[in-house]
């Protein structure tokens, strides 16, 4: 079955990759592990460019290296939202007597990826661009577009959830639903060295 894959990069990273040795993930290889009977005809990766921070000045460089790796994957397109960072006051979980119960923190929010993903999914369904769609995300906000694609366009939609906690909203509407386990991530890594039209480049050393 000709399958289009829609990847919520933020949800995937924070749900399954952060703090693991599997950040150098090849999404096409992951699909071949998770949905081996499907023929993947396109992958659409939704993310936002991050900024370096004083505590991690190489953060942006690592992301750019990974985006470069993604561009070596056949039929993969990258769609960008944006990040917002601002200082907010947040309550302490365990305030100390006599001290302020709040602290200033830098809050970073990713904006646009879920809307971009939902929009692209619906446009592609309307255009008859796939026979089956697969979403890599555990975001319950995607329930409505998944339901619409299945009800209005009569196309099956599956979910590969990277989150540790099941998403009951998506589980209840998807044609099939699988949890992405660490063994699948481990077996779906890019080679340490890749080559593109510019030359060879390496997996980030910190990964």
């Amino acid at each position: 079955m000709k399958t289009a894959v829609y990847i919520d990069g933020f949800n995937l990273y924070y749900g399954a990759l952060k703090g693991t040795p599997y950040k150098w993930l090849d999404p096409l290889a992951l699909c071949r592990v998770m949905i081996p009977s499907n023929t993947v005809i396109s992958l659409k990766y939704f993310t936002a460019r991050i900024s370096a921070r004083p505590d991690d000045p190489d953060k942006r460089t690592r992301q750019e290296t990974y985006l470069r790796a993604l561009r070596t994957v056949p039929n993969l397109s990258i769609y960008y939202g944006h990040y917002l960072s601002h200082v907010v006051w947040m309550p302490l979980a365990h305030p100390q007597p006599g001290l302020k119960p709040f602290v200033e923190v830098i809050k970073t929010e990713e904006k646009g990826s879920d809307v971009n993903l939902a929009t692209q999914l619906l446009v592609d369904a309307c255009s008859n661009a796939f026979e089956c769609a697969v979403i890599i995300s555990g975001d319950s906000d995607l329930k409505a577009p998944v339901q619409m694609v299945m009800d209005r366009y009569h196309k099956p939609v599956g979910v590969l959830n990277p989150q540790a906690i099941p998403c009951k909203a998506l589980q209840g509407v998807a044609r099939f639903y699988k949890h992405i386990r660490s063994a699948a991530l481990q077996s779906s890594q890019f080679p340490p060295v890749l080559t593109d039209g510019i030359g060879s480049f390496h997996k980030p050393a910190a990964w």
Side-chain angles (χ1 to χ4, degrees), residues 62-139:
R62 293 195 301 272
Q63 186 197 39
E64 289 297 335
T65 302
Y66 183 64
L67 294 175
R68 185 178 175 185
L70 289 178
R71 294 187 194 102
T72 69
V73 178
N75 301 317
L76 186 145
S77 303
I78 302 174
Y79 298 76
Y80 293 100
H82 61 280
Y83 275 97
L84 294 178
S85 293
H86 52 281
V87 177
V88 297
W89 286 93
M90 300 288 287
L92 290 167
H94 305 287
Q96 299 297 316
L99 299 178
K100 292 181 179 179
F102 293 87
V103 64
E104 277 189 307
V105 300
I106 299 174
K107 185 176 182 181
T108 301
E109 298 177 282
E110 188 272 344
K111 297 290 186 180
S113 286
D114 53 352
V115 174
N116 291 342
L117 191 159
T119 301
Q120 195 64 50
L121 173 67
L122 289 168
V123 168
D124 289 349
C126 179
S127 304
N128 199 31
F130 57 76
E131 296 175 342
C132 172
V134 170
I135 294 173
I136 298 181
S137 179
D139 188 345

Side-chain angles (χ1 to χ4, degrees), residues 14 27-28 31 39 49-50 52 63-64 93-94 100 112 119 121-122 133 137-139 149 157 177 187 194 201:
Y14 284 98
L28 179 57
C31 290
T39 301
R49 282 191 165 95
I50 59 178
Q63 186 197 39
E64 289 297 335
H94 305 287
K100 292 181 179 179
T119 301
L121 173 67
L122 289 168
S137 179
D139 188 345
V149 169
V157 181
Y177 175 99
S187 63
L194 291 169
F201 59 102

